[in-house]
Amino acid sequence: MRAPWFRLGLWVAGLVVVVNGLFPALWILFTSLKTEAELTRIPITYWPQEPTLDNYVRAFREAPLLRYFANSLVVAGGSTALCVAVAAMAAYALARLRLAYAQGILVALVALAMFPPATLVVPLFQIFTALGLRNTYLGLILPHAALSLPVAVLVLYSFFKTIPRDLEAAALVDGCTRVGALRHVVMPLSGPGVFTAALLAFVNSWDEFLLALTLAPAREMRTLPVGITLYQGEYLFPWPLISAALVVAMVPVALVIALFQERIVAGLTQGALKG
């Protein structure tokens, strides 16, 4: 008798997870299609009665949303590339080289992954101001890559440990260097892990707000999270306008997940099972 109840419990748990993930996104989408008058109407309307795209037009007209989008794309793309490159070399060293404190380093990475970014704001602000990196792409790419680095190293480490050493040995015999073996043998065989680490780094940078607000406050350097937040005024919260901008910000991540969901699931499950 336990099997049917257990299966029912799994279905209910899955339904809760799906609703919890989809409902906020659908609510934002429906809000972006409403007018201010309909949004404040009582009783509340869940489905837009008079759908309109004016909020999207206003979102691009009242703020340089395309510039914010481009800034986020440059910062997220640059930090992802840097994070994956450094994480691959670090994970390879931990998985293949005989380091005396490899386990201690892994424990430290787990601790760093749980470190609150808010504690880094003041020292990073002082350091980047002294280096002249505030309001620059590099000033955002470096800290964003550093924040995603611990998780990326742990993900890649779990994959690199499963690659047979004989394949690298054959590449080394053929004249390949350690870096070449990593690039041409290990990383291609760890494709799902590399993709998962890159996706996590990209989403983390795309959604990051506090450091982007502190280190790049100039209007022309704002990323999407910062730019969208500043749509509101002191006494005004234009929720339909903000929702339209949020939908624009969600599109890239949603497209990546929709197009590569199989690789994402494979990377997460294989990493969990192999690690």
Side-chain angles (χ1 to χ4, degrees):
M1 294 295 294
R2 291 184 179 181
W5 286 107
F6 181 73
R7 190 177 295 109
L8 178 61
L10 290 178
W11 276 100
V12 172
L15 182 61
V16 170
V17 172
V18 170
V19 172
N20 181 65
L22 288 180
F23 181 76
L26 290 176
W27 186 265
I28 292 173
L29 176 61
F30 294 158
T31 301
S32 70
L33 298 174
K34 294 180 179 179
T35 62
E36 291 280 356
E38 184 179 354
L39 185 64
T40 57
R41 184 183 303 168
I42 298 177
I44 188 173
T45 58
Y46 295 94
W47 185 268
Q49 302 299 312
E50 303 171 0
T52 177
L53 296 177
D54 290 343
N55 296 314
Y56 290 90
V57 176
R58 291 177 54 204
F60 285 95
R61 182 183 298 167
E62 297 185 11
L65 192 61
L66 284 178
R67 179 58 188 260
Y68 300 161
F69 189 95
N71 290 340
S72 289
L73 198 60
V74 171
V75 172
S79 63
T80 298
L82 178 61
C83 176
V84 172
V86 176
M89 291 185 286
Y92 183 77
L94 291 171
R96 286 294 188 261
L97 304 182
R98 296 180 179 179
L99 301 179
Y101 303 101
Q103 293 301 317
I105 295 174
L106 291 174
V107 173
L109 287 173
V110 174
L112 288 173
M114 298 182 290
F115 207 74
T119 59
L120 304 174
V121 172
V122 174
L124 284 177
F125 178 85
Q126 294 176 341
I127 293 172
F128 280 51
T129 300
L131 295 176
L133 292 178
R134 288 187 67 229
N135 291 316
T136 64
Y137 288 129
L138 185 61
L140 287 180
I141 289 174
L142 291 177
H144 283 191
L147 288 177
S148 302
L149 193 59
V151 173
V153 172
L154 293 173
V155 170
L156 293 177
Y157 172 81
S158 65
F159 276 84
F160 290 174
K161 287 288 289 184
T162 64
I163 305 299
R165 292 178 179 268
D166 294 341
L167 298 177
E168 296 170 64
L172 294 174
V173 169
D174 290 339
C176 207
T177 63
R178 280 285 187 179
V179 176
L182 170 63
R183 178 182 175 185
H184 298 291
V185 177
V186 177
M187 291 192 69
L189 293 176
S190 304
V194 174
F195 188 87
T196 301
L199 179 64
L200 293 174
F202 183 87
V203 173
N204 187 38
S205 177
W206 188 268
D207 294 338
E208 201 282 322
F209 171 78
L210 185 58
L211 292 179
L213 176 64
T214 306
L215 300 178
R219 181 180 175 87
E220 66 275 6
M221 288 301 302
R222 291 173 184 168
T223 59
L224 273 172
V226 178
I228 293 174
T229 302
L230 297 180
Y231 270 105
Q232 69 184 48
E234 185 176 1
Y235 303 105
L236 178 65
F237 291 86
W239 292 119
L241 180 64
I242 295 175
S243 298
L246 286 173
V247 171
V248 174
M250 290 189 297
V251 167
V253 177
L255 285 177
V256 170
I257 293 176
L259 293 174
F260 302 101
Q261 56 181 329
E262 293 184 0
R263 290 192 177 185
I264 297 171
V265 173
L268 293 174
T269 55
Q270 290 179 25
L273 293 175
K274 293 179 179 179

